[in-house]
Each structure stands twice: as C-alpha cells, then as structure tokens.
Amino acid sequence: MKSFINVQDIGPLEKAMAEAFEIKNDRYKYQHLGKNKTLMMIFFNNSLRTRLSTQKAAMNLGMNVIVLDVNAGAWKLETERGVIMDGDKSEHLLEAIPVMGCYCDIIGVRSFAGLSDREYDYAETVLQQFIKYSGRPVFAMETATVHPLQAFADLITIEEYKTTKRPKVVLTWAPHCRALPQAVPNSFAQWMNAADVDFVITHPEGYELDPEFIGNARVEYDQKKAFEGADFIYAKNWSNPGVTNLADYGKITSKDMSWTVDTEHMSWTNNGKFMHCLPVRRNLIVTDDVIESPNSIVIPEAANREISCSVVLKRMLEAL
C-alpha cells in the first residue's frame, strides 16, 4: 500500500477487519517489520489522539518515529506555486517535502481544510504534493477532506459493540461555535457505505455532504425519524460543505441547538450507543448525561485509533 486516503486503499474490508482484531489481540506480533524503519509524522495542525495513537502504533511495530510540528519550530512553509516569497514564509513545500523524504521510510500528514477555497481543499493540494514529491508511502492523519484512520477505528468499534448482524448507524450533524471541516463526516460516510450497515445521515437542509461521500446513504432531514431504531449514533459538527451553494462553503449557516444530542434524542434509538471522534464540545454537540452514560463508547472508540493505524502501517511496511 503506497498511500492511505480512502476506504478503497485498504482493500477488502473483511480482511482489514480480521487484521485489526489479530493486532488487537497481540499488538507486538509484527514488531519485526519496523526494525530500522522510520516514520515521520508531519503536523500542520493540532492533534491529541492522532499524534499519540499513531506514534504508539509505530512503536508497537518496532519503528523509529520523528514528529515535526510545522508551526512550532520549523520554517514557515509556502504551499502554493508561483508566489513571490517575500513574506514570513522562508521555505517552499516543494523543497521541504523531498528533504523530509530523505530522513524516513513512511510519512503521515495532518493538514486541515482552510475552509475558504473549496476547490483548493477538495483537491487535497497539500497532501497530493507529499504523495508526488516525497518518494515515500504517505498516509492521511486527517486532511482537508478525509480522516480515514478515524473512520477505520469507528468501524472496528461498531463491529465490537454491535448486537445485530446489520446495525442501523446514524451520522448526525450537531451545532458548534466554530466552523469545522467535513473530513470526519466525509470519511465516516465513505467507510459506512463500504460496510454492511444500514446507514443514515441527518442534518439541517443545506448541509449536504459531497455526493462522492454520501454514496448510497439515506439522507433524512428529520432528526427524530433518523434516530428511530438506531443502534449507533455518531454525532459530529461540520461547516457548510457548499454543495448546494458554493458561497456558503466553510460557513456556519445553522446554530440550531435542537440538534444537540441529549437523553431525549437517545430515547428514540434502539438503546443506541453514542459515538464521537473527540474532542467534543459538551452541551453543544452532546449533553453531559449522554456522553457520560454507559452507552457512550467514545473512549473505546479513541483507543481503537491505535489499532486502525497499526493495520495501515503494517500494510505499508510490508510493501517497502
């Protein structure tokens, strides 16, 4: 596997899930694969779970790890071509990327959407430059449009906690005080479409995700109808994707607090489990009583980030 961005990159899901549970039972089984190999993790944006889980997964596989915070100690990087570099950015990504590739065997990139230029974000401009110029396998640690390590961990968690063969999984929008990217909901939708689940997306009108990610999901604008009989509720805010109105891209066009997931919302479900990628703004996305309830599985979900990344790194090491 030369790159990991979308669900298609992982190959047959059944095989990937089997590997995930194999690794979960013995996290150090493939430690020999990473001997004398180096992972470079490049962060253009903040991180907690991604940083810790990816580093832990790499160490489980016997790898050395280099962590670069681009905005804390490195030269400021220019990412666009054709600009006169007479500002505060001292180095161009086109020189920095091949240099980074000299010092490692695999690269992970975290670079969020700017939320001002939809075409630039959805072209995955920064990530694609790493793929093109690094000479190394590259995986996404959340990019402008996707977060596949999170979605893979979400699927592992659903498999562990499901009580029916084909559970009903609902992705619900919830309000937030800041404009957030669509990366997590995009990937979650993509992976749920590939899995054997009854998948529903619910959000206010105008917040439609890109059709590429919606896939075969049922879109329901009535949140109560969407929640009815659900086995899993995945709450997540996203800013306006600009699908129905490009001018709205990256904006907050709804702050409807009736979409906050509370005890009443969860009562509409089939004793549903509550999921969120974290960090979560309590009493905006979800109320205290729901996230602290026995049906909240956000911590096991976060723990599975180590497992999803272990599978991805194992595949990349095997292909070196």
Side-chain angles (χ1 to χ4, degrees):
M1 186 164 62
K2 290 294 185 182
S3 61
F4 177 70
I5 306 171
N6 299 309
V7 66
Q8 295 89 347
D9 298 326
I10 203 71
L13 270 185
E14 187 174 318
K15 184 178 179 182
M17 294 296 286
E19 281 185 45
F21 288 111
E22 177 191 27
I23 286 172
K24 193 159 187 176
N25 288 330
D26 184 356
R27 296 168 197 241
Y28 306 101
K29 182 175 181 178
Y30 297 100
Q31 198 171 47
H32 61 283
L33 290 175
K35 184 178 181 181
N36 297 329
K37 297 292 189 296
T38 298
L39 167 66
M40 182 175 287
M41 300 164 59
I42 301 165
F43 291 90
F44 290 85
N45 300 95
N46 295 338
S47 174
L48 189 151
R49 277 147 297 276
T50 297
R51 180 188 296 261
L52 297 179
S53 62
T54 305
Q55 192 163 355
K56 181 66 165 63
M59 292 189 297
N60 291 352
L61 291 163
M63 300 186 76
N64 303 309
V65 181
I66 298 172
V67 179
L68 176 65
D69 284 299
V70 172
N71 298 316
W75 299 112
K76 288 189 177 180
L77 295 176
E78 178 58 64
T79 60
E80 297 192 45
R81 306 177 76 103
V83 297
I84 298 173
M85 292 176 56
D86 58 356
D88 64 344
K89 296 178 179 178
S90 305
E91 185 161 11
H92 202 286
L93 206 59
L94 294 181
E95 285 78 60
I97 289 173
V99 168
M100 294 174 192
C102 294
Y103 307 141
C104 64
D105 300 282
I106 297 173
I107 295 176
V109 179
R110 185 173 179 89
S111 178
F112 292 174
L115 296 180
S116 60
D117 184 336
R118 191 180 194 279
E119 183 178 357
Y120 182 90
D121 288 344
Y122 273 72
E124 289 289 3
T125 306
V126 173
L127 179 68
Q128 289 300 329
Q129 289 184 80
F130 275 92
I131 292 171
K132 185 174 182 180
Y133 298 114
S134 70
R136 298 288 182 252
V138 175
F139 65 96
M141 299 193 301
E142 186 171 357
T143 65
T145 66
V146 291
H147 197 353
L149 290 173
Q150 179 64 55
F152 188 8
D154 296 334
L155 183 57
I156 294 168
T157 309
I158 289 170
E159 184 66 24
E160 287 181 313
Y161 283 88
K162 71 180 185 182
T163 57
T164 60
K165 183 177 180 181
R166 192 169 188 268
K168 181 178 179 181
V169 179
V170 177
L171 168 63
T172 181
W173 178 93
H176 202 280
C177 55
R178 296 179 58 199
L180 299 183
Q182 299 98 44
V184 169
N186 281 347
S187 278
F188 186 76
Q190 189 182 60
W191 284 69
M192 291 306 108
N193 273 307
D196 187 19
V197 301
D198 177 13
F199 183 46
V200 179
I201 303 174
T202 185
H203 54 72
E205 292 193 45
Y207 269 80
E208 292 79 8
L209 297 172
D210 192 289
E212 173 189 352
F213 298 104
I214 291 175
N216 296 319
R218 177 163 61 91
V219 176
E220 173 58 69
Y221 297 110
D222 186 322
Q223 193 183 29
K224 185 174 183 178
K225 284 184 181 179
F227 274 47
E228 288 174 353
D231 299 291
F232 295 91
I233 298 297
Y234 196 103
K236 184 71 180 79
N237 173 267
W238 59 91
S239 61
N240 197 302
V243 173
T244 57
N245 184 357
L246 183 59
D248 286 336
Y249 176 65
K251 295 180 179 178
I252 298 174
T253 51
S254 176
K255 293 184 178 181
D256 188 348
M257 291 291 289
S258 70
W259 284 78
T260 300
V261 179
D262 59 16
T263 300
E264 181 183 358
H265 286 72
M266 295 304 292
S267 73
W268 305 332
T269 72
N270 179 32
N271 195 32
K273 299 290 191 294
F274 177 81
M275 301 179 70
H276 189 279
C277 61
L278 302 181
V280 65
R281 300 266 185 157
R282 287 180 176 226
N283 303 306
L284 276 176
I285 300 288
V286 58
T287 56
D288 291 332
D289 52 345
V290 170
I291 198 168
E292 293 175 13
S293 76
N295 277 17
S296 172
I297 54 175
V298 296
I299 303 304
E301 180 185 359
N304 279 328
R305 291 291 307 280
E306 176 187 343
I307 307 306
S308 64
C309 190
S310 294
V311 174
V312 170
L313 287 175
K314 171 183 174 287
R315 296 278 187 92
M316 288 187 159
L317 287 167
E318 288 173 334
L320 289 177

